[in-house]
Amino acid sequence: MAERVVTSEHELRELYGFPGERAVAKEQSTLDDGCRAFIAHSPFLVMGTAGADGRCDVSPKGDAPGFVHVLDERHLAIPDRLGNNRLDGMRNVVENAHVGLIFFIPGREDTLRVNGRARIVRDDALLERLGVSGKRPVTALVVEVEQCFLHCARAFKRAGLWQPERWPDAAAVPSMQRMIWELLPVKPAGQTVEQYERDSQERLKTLY
């Protein structure tokens, strides 16, 4: 059966209509006191990027609440903590500066969305400010804010994300380590999947 594909904004508006006044009015181009407070209490965000070829990536970023520093009303800094060195999002930023951020506060169902342009910086003074446990990040992302607004709670309410009684039983889902084990063309010599899983979990204890 042929797909009925939507190909224009005009068709989208025919299907969905237009946003209400409140949805339009909430958008800002600067970080006001409310946005700053949200960021200061947020321990987690996801960052969307796209390369020059349009290939997209969404990366999680997390640390203690306030790990993202607001530099002024138009700029914020995100430290790049220890990771797997794939650098998917960072490589995209080098090619295409546009980024989209969603900040989360555990237990709170609305989120803060920030869209803007990012650059990768290695300024000593800034990296020192962003350091944790005596270790500073190799680089930081400085984002120039173009849009920021709070997103309503409907998605979280539908998902029951903060309601443990609604969480699915994930016991049947294999661990990430076991999934990777199945993809390895050559298994580590002398290791079982159980050992590989334990070693991977041990490495995760190194946070910085």
Side-chain angles (χ1 to χ4, degrees):
M1 186 173 64
E3 291 182 320
R4 300 175 63 187
V5 179
V6 176
T7 59
S8 68
E9 182 178 353
H10 175 73
E11 191 175 356
L12 280 172
R13 292 303 179 191
E14 285 187 330
L15 290 168
Y16 288 96
F18 289 85
E21 181 180 1
R22 185 172 65 176
V24 174
K26 69 180 180 180
E27 181 182 322
Q28 307 174 74
S29 59
T30 58
L31 299 168
D32 64 11
D33 290 344
C35 293
R36 291 178 184 228
F38 200 106
I39 293 170
H41 289 80
S42 172
F44 184 78
L45 65 88
V46 293
M47 179 180 75
T49 60
D53 61 358
R55 187 167 183 169
C56 296
D57 178 71
V58 178
S59 299
K61 308 286 183 184
D63 210 329
F67 77 101
V68 175
H69 288 215
V70 175
L71 305 179
D72 57 45
E73 66 177 8
R74 291 293 306 277
H75 298 87
L76 53 82
I78 307 169
D80 189 59
R81 303 291 189 214
L82 179 68
N84 57 20
N85 291 335
R86 281 183 56 97
L87 305 179
D88 297 287
M90 304 284 271
R91 287 187 290 119
N92 282 347
V93 167
V94 169
E95 299 177 354
N96 173 7
H98 293 92
V99 299
L101 312 173
I102 300 184
F103 289 88
F104 300 79
I105 297 176
R108 181 160 172 162
E109 292 178 321
D110 54 345
T111 53
L112 178 67
R113 293 173 58 175
V114 178
N115 299 319
R117 298 174 65 88
R119 58 185 184 273
I120 303 168
V121 303
R122 48 187 301 190
D123 298 9
D124 289 337
L126 178 59
L127 297 179
E128 285 294 334
R129 287 175 57 189
L130 298 172
V132 174
S133 299
K135 295 184 180 180
R136 70 182 202 178
V138 177
T139 63
L141 281 170
V142 172
V143 178
E144 181 178 359
V145 177
E146 296 177 334
Q147 295 174 298
C148 58
F149 54 92
L150 286 169
H151 195 94
C152 79
R154 284 196 184 95
F156 278 70
K157 289 186 179 299
R158 286 192 290 257
L161 198 65
W162 306 124
Q163 301 173 40
E165 68 275 10
R166 291 184 57 190
W167 293 352
D169 181 4
V173 181
S175 69
M176 181 182 76
Q177 292 80 15
R178 286 178 178 266
M179 292 183 187
I180 293 173
W181 177 271
E182 294 300 323
L183 296 172
L184 292 174
V186 179
K187 312 305 182 191
Q191 265 200 330
T192 64
V193 63
E194 291 79 14
Q195 290 170 324
Y196 181 78
E197 191 171 40
R198 286 195 299 270
D199 290 349
S200 297
Q201 290 295 336
E202 194 64 28
R203 285 194 296 272
L204 285 176
K205 294 179 181 179
T206 304
L207 298 179
Y208 302 105

